[in-house]
Amino acid sequence: MWHRRYHVTTFGCQMNAHDSERIKGMLEELGLGEAAVPEDADVIVFNTCTIREKPDQRFAAHMGEAAARKRERPDTVIAVGGCYAEAQRERLFELYPQVDVAFGPGTIPHLGEWLGAGGFGVERGRFGTGDERRFAGTLPMHRERRFQAWVQISMGCNSRCAYCIVPTVRGREVSRRPGEILAEVERLAGEGVREITLLGQNVNSYGRDVGSGFAELLRACDAVDGIERIRFTSPHPKDFRAPVIEAMAECATVCEHAHLPLQSGSTRILKAMRRTYGRERYFELVGDLRDAIPDLALTTDIIVGFPGETDVDFGETIEVVEEVGFDGAFTFVYSPRATTEAAAMPDQVPEDVKRDRIERLVEVVQRVARERNEQRVGLVEEVLVEGPSRHGDGLLRGRTRRNITVNFAGTASPGELVAVRIDGATSTTLRGEQLSAAAAWSG
Ligand code: SAH
Ligand code: SF4
Ligand code: F3S
C-alpha cells in the first residue's frame, strides 16, 4: 500500500515543541512516515501558538499555503492543534475552511481517534475534544535528539498575569504524579538521554496538588543514573523558595542556570501585571540564588509597552537589567490578547513608543550579555555537543552548563560531554577549542 506521510510545523514555546514530539510519535504509531516538507505530506499538522499577535499572523500565512495545497490535492488532511486552535475554537473553521481537524493543547492523546485511527475517515470540520485533559507522557515520542529530552511535569497555569492568554488556552494547573515523571526519566536515561529539561508554566508551584514539591522532584531526578544535566523552565519568581535553591546548589546534575522571567523592573507595572512580586523581591531572590550558586547564569523574559508603562517605569526595567546582569533575555513588545485583563486597560502605549523602547532595551540586553560572556574567556567549560555549528564553518556546536551556545574546534560526536577552552564571546555565543581527549570530562 502507498505509504502515507505527515509533516508537523511547530510555533511557540518548548511546551509546544514537546507536544509536537508526541504528535509525531502518535502519527508514526498510526503508520505514517515523516515528510521533510509539507508539500510531500498527506497529513499536514500545525501546532500553533497565540501568545502574541505575531504567531497568529505567521500561522495565517501558512494557512494561505495550505489552502493552495488543498486545491491541488483535495485529499490532503489539514490538522490544527495547540493554543491558537484552542483560543479560536468557536471560529476556526469559519476563518480557515481548509482545516479538517482541530484540537487544543490538552487533548493530543485523542489525535488518533479524530484522524479516523489509521483509516483516515476524517470527520471534517470537527473540533476534537477529549473527555479530560491528559498528560501526553504515556504517548510514543519522536525526539529530535537521542541524548536530550523534555519532560513535562505539569500542565496549565493558575496565575493570572494580566497580559497572558496561557491560562485561558492551557487551563488550570495540574501536576503530573512524581512516580510517573520518575519512571519517564529512568526510561529516558536507559535510552541514552543525558540532559533533561523539566517543563511547566510555573515549575516552582509543581506538586501542591499531588503531595510533592519541585525541590523533591529535582533531587529525585538527580539520583537517576545516566542523567548528567537537569534543566527546567520556567520558574515564577513568586514561588521560588529556599528548598529549591538548596536543591539546585546541592544536586550535581542541576545546571547553573535559571530562567527567571522579570517582565518589568517597575514595581508599579509588576503590580498592574499581577505578577505578585516587586522589584525588591526580585533583587532579593537573585541575591539568594547567587549566594547559593556562585557561577549561576540568569536569563529572563521582559515585556515593554504594557498599558500605563511610562518612561520612568521603562527606565526602571533598564536599571534592573544592568544591575542583575542577565546572561540573556527574550524581549517582547506588549501585544494585547483578546479576553485578557490588560487588553481592556486604558493607557495602551502607542506603537512607536513601544518600538523605541524595545530597541533601547535590546541594546542594553546585548551589551550586558556580551560583557557577561566575555568574562568566560580563558575558562574551560563543560560542553554537551549538539552537532555541527550553524555557520557551516567546520566547527562544532554545543551548550555549557550555564546554557550558553559554544561554537568550537574539535572532533567530538553529538551527545558527548567535552572540555572546551573559551577564547571568544559575542552577546549570545562563545567560541573555543576542545581540549585533548585526556582532559575530557568523565561525566
Ligand atoms: N509561563 C511562562 C511564560 C510563558 S509565555 C512564565 O511565566 O515564565 C513566555 C513569555 O511571553 C512571557 O514570559 C512573557 O514575557 C511573554 N508574553 C506573554 N504574554 C505576552 C503578551 N501579551 N505580549 C507580549 N509578551 C507576552
Ligand atoms: Fe502566563 Fe503568568 Fe502563567 Fe506564565 S505565570 S503562563 S506569564 S499567566
Ligand atoms: Fe506556548 Fe504559545 Fe501556547 S508560548 S503555551 S504555545 S500560547
Side-chain angles (χ1 to χ4, degrees):
M1 199 189 96
W2 174 52
H3 193 52
R4 282 175 177 266
R5 288 192 288 173
Y6 74 84
H7 185 272
V8 180
T9 304
T10 309
F11 304 86
C13 63
Q14 291 98 327
M15 204 71 80
N16 249 22
H18 180 51
D19 287 347
S20 284
E21 295 181 330
R22 303 292 185 183
I23 292 171
K24 291 180 180 189
M26 284 203 77
L27 293 170
E28 283 167 21
E29 190 121 297
L30 292 173
L32 281 85
E34 186 171 19
V37 288
E39 291 71 39
D40 293 340
D42 307 282
V43 178
I44 303 179
V45 184
F46 296 92
N47 192 15
T48 60
C49 170
T50 190
I51 195 80
R52 287 170 293 276
E53 201 185 344
K54 217 189 254 166
D56 288 7
Q57 291 165 345
R58 281 179 54 218
F59 172 68
H62 280 266
M63 277 292 103
E65 289 163 27
R69 161 108 186 119
K70 191 105 181 173
R71 280 192 294 275
E72 265 169 47
R73 289 242 336 249
D75 56 338
T76 307
V77 175
I78 297 177
V80 177
C83 297
Y84 177 83
E86 182 66 42
Q88 302 295 334
R89 61 193 297 166
E90 306 299 336
R91 301 198 305 147
L92 191 74
F93 297 107
E94 233 170 86
L95 288 170
Y96 299 112
Q98 63 272 44
V99 175
D100 295 302
V101 186
F103 54 100
T107 49
I108 293 168
H110 299 278
L111 188 59
E113 298 156 32
W114 310 320
L115 288 176
F120 293 93
V122 175
E123 208 181 300
R124 300 195 180 234
R126 167 171 173 186
F127 197 98
T129 44
D131 354 331
E132 48 169 347
R133 291 189 305 152
R134 278 218 314 252
F135 283 103
T138 49
L139 300 176
M141 168 163 66
H142 168 117
R143 281 204 316 277
E144 287 313 310
R145 294 209 185 93
R146 183 176 42 78
F147 52 90
Q148 284 171 329
W150 282 301
V151 177
Q152 189 184 4
I153 66 167
S154 63
M155 60 180 157
C157 179
N158 285 354
S159 293
R160 282 290 172 271
C161 302
Y163 49 81
C164 185
I165 197 161
V166 171
T168 312
V169 291
R170 295 232 169 204
R172 300 283 296 166
E173 182 181 280
V174 181
S175 300
R176 198 171 160 201
R177 304 213 156 269
E180 224 185 276
I181 298 172
L182 257 277
E184 183 175 0
V185 173
E186 277 162 10
R187 199 180 64 240
L188 290 168
E191 290 171 10
V193 168
R194 307 185 86 177
E195 179 180 281
I196 56 169
T197 303
L198 306 175
L199 288 182
Q201 295 299 343
N202 175 1
V203 293
N204 275 319
S205 67
Y206 168 78
R208 287 175 195 164
D209 49 341
V210 291
S212 184
F214 190 56
E216 284 165 73
L217 186 68
L218 281 179
R219 289 181 192 275
C221 292
D222 177 62
V224 175
D225 263 356
I227 300 296
E228 318 249 12
R229 289 180 168 192
I230 299 175
R231 304 187 180 283
F232 54 86
T233 198
S234 295
H236 192 308
K238 81 178 162 80
D239 293 314
F240 216 127
R241 295 194 222 293
V244 173
I245 299 178
E246 283 156 23
M248 286 178 72
E250 286 164 23
C251 296
T253 63
V254 177
C255 289
E256 294 75 31
H257 171 223
H259 183 72
L260 197 59
L262 168 69
Q263 312 302 3
S264 168
S266 151
T267 296
R268 199 178 70 79
I269 293 296
L270 285 168
K271 189 154 190 217
M273 286 177 163
R274 297 196 188 278
R275 289 292 286 177
T276 69
Y277 56 86
R279 165 196 178 90
E280 290 315 314
R281 164 76 188 121
Y282 192 90
F283 278 135
E284 227 175 83
L285 178 57
V286 167
D288 291 348
L289 279 161
R290 285 193 166 142
D291 285 347
I293 309 146
D295 205 22
L296 185 75
L298 278 173
T299 55
T300 198
D301 292 346
I302 298 169
I303 299 174
V304 300
F306 185 82
E309 184 187 70
T310 62
D311 274 335
V312 173
D313 296 314
F314 174 67
E316 290 184 348
T317 297
I318 297 277
E319 264 171 40
V320 176
V321 172
E322 302 250 18
E323 269 180 54
V324 170
F326 289 111
D327 296 83
F330 295 115
T331 52
F332 307 105
V333 168
Y334 167 71
S335 171
R337 304 281 68 203
T339 73
T340 61
E341 187 188 354
M345 286 179 180
D347 304 325
Q348 298 283 327
V349 175
E351 286 307 314
D352 55 331
V353 176
K354 290 185 194 170
R355 283 280 135 224
D356 178 59
R357 286 183 188 161
I358 193 103
E359 276 170 30
R360 283 159 59 197
L361 176 63
V362 166
E363 232 177 79
V364 176
V365 161
Q366 287 180 345
R367 172 172 49 74
V368 169
R370 194 180 56 244
E371 285 164 11
R372 298 274 302 165
N373 279 342
E374 279 164 357
Q375 290 169 17
R376 310 307 289 182
V377 172
L379 300 178
V380 175
E381 302 254 17
E382 180 203 274
V383 173
L384 178 60
V385 185
E386 293 183 345
S389 100
R390 295 218 165 93
H391 311 296
D393 48 12
L395 297 181
L396 293 173
R397 176 176 47 95
R399 270 180 302 142
T400 67
R401 287 179 59 94
R402 303 173 74 257
N403 208 32
I404 307 292
T405 297
V406 189
N407 295 308
F408 64 100
T411 54
S413 311
E416 269 185 75
L417 284 172
V418 296
V420 173
R421 182 177 304 283
I422 304 304
D423 58 25
T426 71
S427 62
T428 51
T429 58
L430 297 172
R431 222 183 28 236
E433 196 177 332
Q434 184 183 338
L435 298 185
S436 66
W441 301 84
S442 54

